[in-house]
Amino acid sequence: MKMKGVFLEEKAINRGDISFKEISDELDLTFYDNTTEDNKYEHIGDAEVVFDNKVIMDEELFDKCPNIKYVGVCATGYNVIDLAAARKRNITVTNVPSYSTDSVVQLTWALILEQVCNLEIHNNSVKNGDWIKSDIFSYWLEPITELSGKTLGIIGYGNIGRKVAKIAECFGMNVLVNTMHPEKYDNQLIDFVDKDELFAKSDIITLHCPLTEDTMEIIRKENIDKMKDKVRIVNVSRGGLVNEADLTYALNSGKVLSAGIDVVLKEPMDKDNPLLNAKNITITPHMAWASVDARRRLVTEIAENFKAYLNNEKRNVVS
């Protein structure tokens, strides 16, 4: 008999363009479009297997849903799972590392290029008829900035940070990196520096670090004041890395020339989030990871993790 499983947030991964057959073939599996704190106990019920993304699974949940034997986190980060509580109950927890690296790097550069090329305002201008009315063959509404010769500051140097750096080198940029363990890397083209030096010298700062006590609100007034005037900022990592009120003020005052963010502190975004009314900001809805290619890899990895569990093998086990 197949184990009973639940997939708590199908809609976050699938909009009808990928298949879950690799997973559903292995389980008696129930899919839920979404699961919240209000209905998570009802949705999980007596399931033995839970595929989770953002739903908090703690001591209380494990007590109320005692049949759980396996939790497959459908993401790289697994901070929503109380690992100590899972270990105490011999619950296996797995995650999916690195499945979306290329997609996140791609959106990082899309946000950088939008800031230096100003594509959106020029596209809108042309479609509004401004080019048709123009008396010369070319015009621009905002300055276009070359990346060559500029300095990119990267905070965090994991798989994503390293690929962002590699592309920066192709653009002819200088690269500064702040990371916890620079001694692990041997790259003669990159300078590893402390945060203050990175803040002071970077034309563009991009965040690719985990959210920790050390990095919480790393983009805040105290640090923004250390940055160059007209610095640009990108965050595709975690919303908690940014003090949203401080970044809004810096954008509106012009200290920060522009920003591109894919994450905010509370998601979905609140209607009173100050960044919504900030100047010169591009905001995308936590979609950096979500290319169809990455989502297909994610589902395959979720399935392979669970098959390994069924075969008493360890694959991407975090608890």
Side-chain angles (χ1 to χ4, degrees), residues 26 50 93 108 126 144 149 186 191 198 226 228 234 248 279 290 298 311:
E26 304 295 329
V50 179
V93 181
T108 299
V126 170
I144 301 164
D186 181 19
D191 291 326
L198 185 145
K226 300 172 184 176
K228 286 183 176 183
V234 172
T248 299
K279 295 179 180 177
L298 175 62
N311 292 325

Side-chain angles (χ1 to χ4, degrees), residues 128-274:
N128 286 334
D130 295 342
W131 201 7
I132 295 169
K133 300 169 189 173
S134 176
D135 58 354
I136 56 173
F137 75 94
S138 173
Y139 69 92
W140 51 94
L141 302 174
E142 294 287 346
I144 301 164
T145 303
E146 280 190 355
L147 291 173
S148 180
K150 302 299 188 297
T151 298
L152 180 69
I154 301 173
I155 299 178
Y157 202 55
N159 292 329
I160 295 169
R162 291 197 297 276
K163 284 205 168 187
V164 168
K166 187 174 181 180
I167 294 170
E169 292 166 12
C170 294
F171 275 114
M173 300 185 76
N174 307 309
V175 179
L176 301 178
V177 170
N178 176 262
T179 183
M180 288 290 290
H181 298 288
E183 70 278 359
K184 291 168 51 178
Y185 307 103
D186 181 19
N187 189 329
Q188 302 302 315
L189 298 176
I190 290 175
D191 291 326
F192 293 94
V193 299
D194 63 27
K195 292 184 182 70
D196 284 353
E197 184 174 351
L198 185 145
F199 293 145
K201 293 183 176 179
S202 298
D203 298 295
I204 302 171
I205 295 171
T206 183
L207 306 179
H208 303 290
C209 54
L211 180 61
T212 65
E213 287 187 11
D214 183 55
T215 61
M216 174 73 75
E217 294 193 351
I218 195 168
I219 303 300
R220 61 183 183 273
K221 184 181 186 305
E222 171 192 351
N223 290 333
I224 293 171
D225 288 345
K226 300 172 184 176
M227 298 176 190
K228 286 183 176 183
D229 290 343
K230 308 301 182 183
V231 67
R232 303 178 190 271
I233 293 173
V234 172
N235 183 19
V236 296
S237 188
R238 289 291 182 265
L241 299 174
V242 173
N243 181 303
E244 294 170 346
D246 288 356
L247 178 57
T248 299
Y249 181 84
L251 284 163
N252 290 342
S253 71
K255 170 67 177 182
V256 174
L257 180 59
S258 61
I261 64 168
D262 186 54
V263 288
V264 293
L265 183 60
K266 183 181 177 184
E267 298 173 347
M269 195 177 203
D270 281 340
K271 64 181 180 180
D272 58 354
N273 188 306

Side-chain angles (χ1 to χ4, degrees), residues 40-63:
K40 65 183 182 181
Y41 303 113
E42 176 188 351
H43 284 188
I44 294 171
D46 61 352
E48 301 164 277
V49 175
V50 179
F51 295 105
D52 182 27
N53 193 317
K54 297 294 185 184
V55 176
I56 295 171
M57 302 187 70
D58 53 13
E59 287 270 10
E60 182 179 5
L61 185 139
F62 291 134
D63 283 343

